[in-house]
Amino acid sequence: VTVAYNKDPSPVKLNLGVGAYRTEEGKPLVLNVVRKAEQMLLNDKSRVKEYLPIVGIAEFNKLSAKLIFGADSPAIRENRVTTVQCLSGTGSLRVGAEFLARHYHQKTIYIPQPTWGNHPKVFTLAGLSVKTYRYYDPTTRGMNFQGLLEDLGSAPSGSIVLLHACAHNPTGVDPTLQQWEQIRQLMRSKALLPFFDSAYQGFASGNLDVDAQSIRMFVADGGECFVAQSYAKNMGLYGERVGALSVVCRAADVASKVESQLKLVIRPMFSNPPIHGASIVATILKDSNMFNEWTIELKAMADRIIGMRKQLFDALRARGAPGDWSHIIKQIGMFTFTGLNSKQVEFMTREYHIYMTSDGRISMAGLSSKTVPHLADAIHAAVTRMS
């Protein structure tokens, strides 16, 4: 998508395929608090470039676990959590998947249909066999909750299940808290192993705790779960590749055994993780003033995306675009599944120079107040002329 966009000489071209935050001016954003943390690290003359331990920066791991599980998490207090620093969300998923392929009795992972395009590849290459469960309902542009319950209900006991913690990619459709509770009960009754992918904590709702609720429900029952965490979106550290894998175990002695086995996965894979990005994260998370500054900047990003949803919905309604577009404001996070088909997407690229993935997924962060009218015109034309 990006290659085609870059080749297009049109002055009105618009790239809605990119999975990264953009400002109102369409520019990448480096958070002020990140710049501040980097400056502090730069000024600290005692810092060296030695290799990190295999599991990364201990302080970063501790703070990451606290961020996702909550400061008062009993699992952390009882030392039932082991956290290792990995290469962003993708690397965390890969390390977790490889560990499971080696040591877990079930080699099948169920992933939502649809899901992020990289998920099936990561799990397959790590040695797991991938199956899907129903998730999205194209007719309502919402969730196929009945299908999800049926598919997980018929999965073999002990299977691994991939869950998006919040801001499901690509659909932007999340379960309600009541639905999460039903999913949890079903999964625990069948001893299904939850593997959470948390790419958007704080980025979906603007609130770090709200976006971690699904994970905390599963941790509160004392059961096991895996969590892959990424700081790409919520701290804008995309290219720094900062992430963590946490494994919540039933007992502290199991957690320490899991950690030693995770080291054996990491050592031949990337030996030990990079130092800079994780140092930025640790600097921000451990200082209460910087942490507060981060939450304010994070909320501003989330609010801008929520605002773009509202503007697009209003613009489509004002143009009388056929159909119900309320899913645009109901969905959450960086992406919206517009419900446009590949012919309509093709038409919009050809006639309006608007680029997106062929499944009709658009990145809300790629929009601005200036470009919403152009997109709304294009969608209106696409649905009236290419039904």
Side-chain angles (χ1 to χ4, degrees), residues 329-362:
I329 40 183
K330 284 183 196 143
Q331 292 170 9
I332 192 166
M334 194 180 275
F335 300 109
T336 286
F337 236 35
T338 55
L340 298 164
N341 62 40
S342 56
K343 276 201 177 69
Q344 293 167 332
V345 170
E346 213 177 300
F347 167 83
M348 286 166 61
T349 303
R350 192 175 64 243
E351 302 291 326
Y352 289 85
H353 307 276
I354 292 172
Y355 292 82
M356 64 180 89
T357 49
S358 60
D359 57 9
R361 182 195 85 164
I362 62 173

Side-chain angles (χ1 to χ4, degrees), residues 212-235:
Q213 277 176 300
S214 57
I215 292 171
R216 292 176 190 179
M217 287 164 75
F218 277 80
V219 176
D221 66 17
E224 297 166 327
C225 71
F226 280 59
V227 180
Q229 234 174 319
S230 163
Y231 289 97
K233 313 293 190 300
N234 60 14
M235 276 197 193

Side-chain angles (χ1 to χ4, degrees), residues 153-212:
S154 57
S157 171
S159 302
I160 310 156
V161 179
L162 179 81
L163 302 162
H164 295 230
C166 66
H168 181 273
N169 175 6
T171 68
V173 175
D174 285 355
T176 64
L177 280 182
Q178 288 77 10
Q179 288 173 330
W180 271 121
E181 179 52 28
Q182 273 179 269
I183 294 168
R184 186 193 66 77
Q185 287 176 12
L186 171 67
M187 285 181 62
R188 293 310 195 196
S189 73
K190 297 209 55 177
L192 302 174
L193 179 67
F195 195 150
F196 281 97
D197 185 357
S198 175
Y200 299 100
Q201 188 188 359
F203 202 92
S205 67
N207 183 306
L208 288 157
D209 293 318
V210 166
D211 291 349

